[in-house]
Amino acid sequence: MNYTTQMDAARNGIVTREMEIVAKKENIDIDKLIKLIAQGKVVICANKNHKSLDPEGVGEGLRTKINVNLGISKDCPNIENEIEKARKSIEMKVDSIMDLSSFGKTEEFRRRLIEISPAMIGTVPIYDAIGFYDKELKDITADEFLDVVEKHARDGVDFMTIHAGLTRKTCETFKKNKRLTNIVSRGGSLLFAWMELNDKENPFYEYYDRVLDICEKYDVTISLGDACRPGSINDATDASQIEELIILGELTKRAWERNVQVIIEGPGHMALDEIEANVLIQKKLCHGAPFYVLGPIVTDVAPGYDHITSAIGGAIAASSGADFLCYVTPAEHLRLPTLDDMKEGVIASRIAAHAADIVKGVKGARDWDYKMSEARKNLDWDEMFRLSIDPQKARRYREESKPKHDDSCSMCGKMCSMRNMNKILSGKDINILRDDE
């Protein structure tokens, strides 16, 4: 059976291999999944050339997914270090890896990453353009930008961040409504500079139909980038952000007319009490398309701890309806993350995603917590470690401070509530001070 994209297949009632895998993983009825994909409310990012992919669904009613960012830069160009991070993130069961490489042998790294990764792969082609052409930003042509998009698609990238909503009109709104931190999106700032230097329209907006041609050909999901995402809580939910979001809603419909799947990217830095409203606005303006958020980072004062600030915001965003969390590491705003930074970011994001899935009523989410609580009640340490979101750390903490009695921990000892309640409810004596069991 012939089809161009997962959305095209869904709209024609064709059940793809990828749909079958996702339906089984999510414990969702296949007919319901097909309907959601046809409506654009769920996407399966699955480039036809990504042969090692183990497909995942992103969107309404499904488990909240998490993404890891990595890639080489001019200051840190070591490919092997980034491959090690990729392998570790796959081991930690991330759903997606974004290659944000911006310098050096980006093509070699991207192809190796796609070859080894069962997780979906995303990129931001504009990051790669400067290094690929070895030209100053101003001198890159619209055709050259689009050629990089096609190159990434041909290599097997499953989704791409395309900042098509930053138009000349959006730029004027930005200039008239001053921000504390201006445009903090790297791709957005590069496009803004290119447009100003060349006095031209955003090529990804002007030639959006050509972008759709590429995406339809390879079944690449467009992740419509939030060039105007707030870089401080002061700038959240302002005119620039909302105007861009309106345009992204229009671009979403244009993509769907071509059976191209769409994800919408979102903020950014944002106070707690604005997050739920932002998710609601996105879902309304972008017609229920899956929402992919960076954080949100809920306070600006915690460099070194932004995996925590983002996990707080991510849990609120996902419980309010966001579908996809981009992890943030302790190194955010400070440096390229190390392997340990990446681990901390992954765990924080997984906690946030799971906490939200409990609220959203995702099938099986509460079962995990029930089993952990059961293991705690039974003082079954091996089962607790097995069920832990980070088994290695849980086991290490236990080993570093062993109690005298195995049915307790070094915090409470024989005053352990679980131990004593188990004993008293089974008719046994409680011996806190005596040395016998």
Side-chain angles (χ1 to χ4, degrees), residues 43-247:
V43 302
I44 300 178
C45 305
N47 188 310
K48 297 171 183 177
N49 291 340
H50 187 177
K51 304 304 182 184
S52 61
L53 179 69
D54 184 8
E56 294 286 356
V58 179
E60 184 178 303
L62 307 186
R63 177 176 57 84
T64 304
K65 305 306 186 296
I66 67 164
N67 171 74
V68 163
N69 291 337
L70 43 77
I72 54 177
S73 67
K74 189 168 185 177
D75 290 314
C76 301
N78 191 310
I79 288 177
E80 297 308 321
N81 285 349
E82 298 308 295
I83 289 292
E84 183 183 4
K85 289 181 193 175
R87 292 188 188 280
K88 185 63 181 177
S89 66
I90 291 165
E91 180 186 319
M92 296 179 75
K93 302 178 182 178
V94 302
D95 305 292
S96 166
I97 299 173
M98 285 202 79
D99 172 16
L100 305 187
S101 295
S102 58
F103 179 81
K105 297 180 180 179
T106 57
E107 183 175 21
E108 176 188 340
F109 176 68
R110 180 171 61 253
R111 289 182 173 178
R112 284 182 63 184
L113 182 61
I114 292 166
E115 182 180 356
I116 68 170
S117 178
M120 52 187 157
I121 300 298
T123 59
V124 188
I126 192 172
Y127 293 177
D128 191 28
I130 296 172
F132 180 74
Y133 292 114
D134 194 23
K135 295 168 69 171
E136 286 297 336
L137 176 66
K138 178 180 183 296
D139 300 325
I140 300 174
T141 67
D143 284 337
E144 287 172 332
F145 279 130
L146 293 171
D147 286 345
V148 172
V149 171
E150 176 132 31
K151 186 171 188 57
H152 285 213
R154 190 165 53 245
D155 285 344
V157 170
D158 301 298
F159 68 100
M160 295 185 209
T161 296
I162 305 291
H163 297 91
L166 185 70
T167 65
R168 296 295 293 271
K169 185 173 182 292
T170 314
C171 291
E172 288 305 310
T173 299
F174 162 73
K175 291 175 186 177
K176 292 175 182 176
N177 298 270
K178 298 298 183 183
R179 283 179 150 191
L180 178 62
T181 48
N182 295 316
I183 294 176
V184 299
S185 158
R186 192 192 333 177
S189 65
L190 290 171
L191 271 174
F192 179 85
W194 186 90
M195 293 161 68
E196 291 291 300
L197 291 168
N198 290 287
D199 193 27
K200 289 183 178 180
E201 181 57 275
N202 178 347
F204 296 111
Y205 178 76
E206 185 173 2
Y207 303 107
Y208 188 61
D209 285 331
R210 288 175 59 185
V211 174
L212 296 178
D213 289 340
I214 296 167
C215 292
E216 183 181 22
K217 180 179 179 182
Y218 296 95
D219 196 1
V220 174
T221 299
I222 294 182
S223 187
L224 286 170
D226 52 340
C228 294
R229 71 170 180 263
S232 62
I233 61 172
N234 183 81
D235 296 339
T237 326
D238 70 350
S240 299
Q241 181 193 335
I242 299 303
E243 176 154 325
E244 182 183 35
L245 192 59
I246 292 170
I247 295 170

Side-chain angles (χ1 to χ4, degrees), residues 306-362:
D306 277 326
H307 59 311
I308 297 173
T309 64
S310 71
I312 294 168
I316 294 171
S319 63
S320 300
D323 309 286
F324 196 7
L325 303 182
C326 185
Y327 92 149
V328 174
T329 77
E332 184 77 6
H333 305 109
L334 301 172
R335 68 176 186 202
L336 190 78
T338 64
L339 183 61
D340 286 339
D341 294 332
M342 187 201 76
K343 291 179 187 177
E344 291 292 317
V346 169
I347 294 299
S349 294
R350 286 192 63 199
I351 293 168
H354 178 65
D357 287 347
I358 293 170
V359 175
K360 290 194 285 190
V362 171

